[in-house]
Amino acid sequence: GAGVSQSPSNKVTEKGKDVELRCDPISGHTALYWYRQSLGQGLEFLIYFQGNSAPDKSGLPSDRFSAERTGGSVSTLTIQRTQQEDSAVYLCASSLARVSGNTIYFGEGSWLTVV
Amino acid sequence: KQEVTQIPAALSVPEGENLVLNCSFTDSAIYNLQWFRQDPGKGLTSLLLIQSSQREQTSGRLNASLDKSSGRSTLYIAASQPGDSATYLCAVMTAGNKLTFGGGTRVLVKP
């Protein structure tokens, strides 16, 4: 499809395990965002990429969280030694350019449950 | 630090009534404001984007206004339908391409 694609759509993992979440942005979109939405909570900004670089990592909640983007396209969000409070929906979004005025398109999210 | 607030948190109306959703933000130095819709278990769908230089945008039954100086935006949905039931989120874009979201308004349109 032509939209933002995220995988896995659902993931159940044991506490302490590492997880990787993948995002395929819309082709040609240089800006890519990761957000987290916990149950009943608002959207929490995690990280923003422009191309392969991440000028704003301020939202990553701890050093257990990391993200990378390669080839200006696919991005991976990695959570090490998962904790129960990491359970949430992780949403990826992309847009055309860093210049304001471009609509941001979201994926369906990766639902993470840590047991 | 930019803060975005949406009031009310939840809204229930009979079918056919007009919906009025409010969004306020604390820092008027924004590039744009976007309204999104989120259905249960789904991602976000962009509804309208208003540039900081604009005062309103319209799409079909949806109209969004922006008063940047007072830090307010309003989303109007005319002649509501049960299919409009969803959570509506507003978000403002600030320097560094940072998008800050409000907590959302859960809307229920009763047939």
Side-chain angles (χ1 to χ4, degrees), chain A residues 31 33 35 37 42-43 45 48 50 56 58 91 95 97-104 106-108 111, chain B residues 31-32 34 36 38 40-46 49 51 89 93 95-103:
Chain A
Y33 309 78
Y35 283 83
Q37 188 174 33
L43 274 85
F45 169 81
Y48 154 65
Q50 178 57 37
D56 190 349
S58 62
L91 291 161
S95 68
R98 69 177 300 169
V99 175
S100 68
N102 291 295
T103 299
I104 291 179
F106 278 81
E108 296 279 289
W111 294 70
Chain B
Y31 289 131
N32 64 51
Q34 298 186 47
F36 294 87
Q38 186 175 32
K42 300 289 187 181
L44 278 68
T45 301
S46 180
L49 181 151
Q51 302 280 9
L89 296 126
M93 177 75 78
N97 250 24
K98 190 163 186 175
L99 197 62
T100 304
F101 282 84

Side-chain angles (χ1 to χ4, degrees), chain B residues 4-42:
Chain B
V4 182
T5 304
Q6 290 186 247
I7 294 173
L11 186 59
S12 179
V13 299
E15 182 177 3
E17 269 199 17
N18 297 332
L19 286 162
V20 181
L21 309 179
N22 297 300
C23 172
S24 62
F25 46 95
T26 55
D27 186 349
S28 62
I30 65 169
Y31 289 131
N32 64 51
L33 182 144
Q34 298 186 47
W35 282 93
F36 294 87
R37 169 185 172 137
Q38 186 175 32
D39 292 285
K42 300 289 187 181

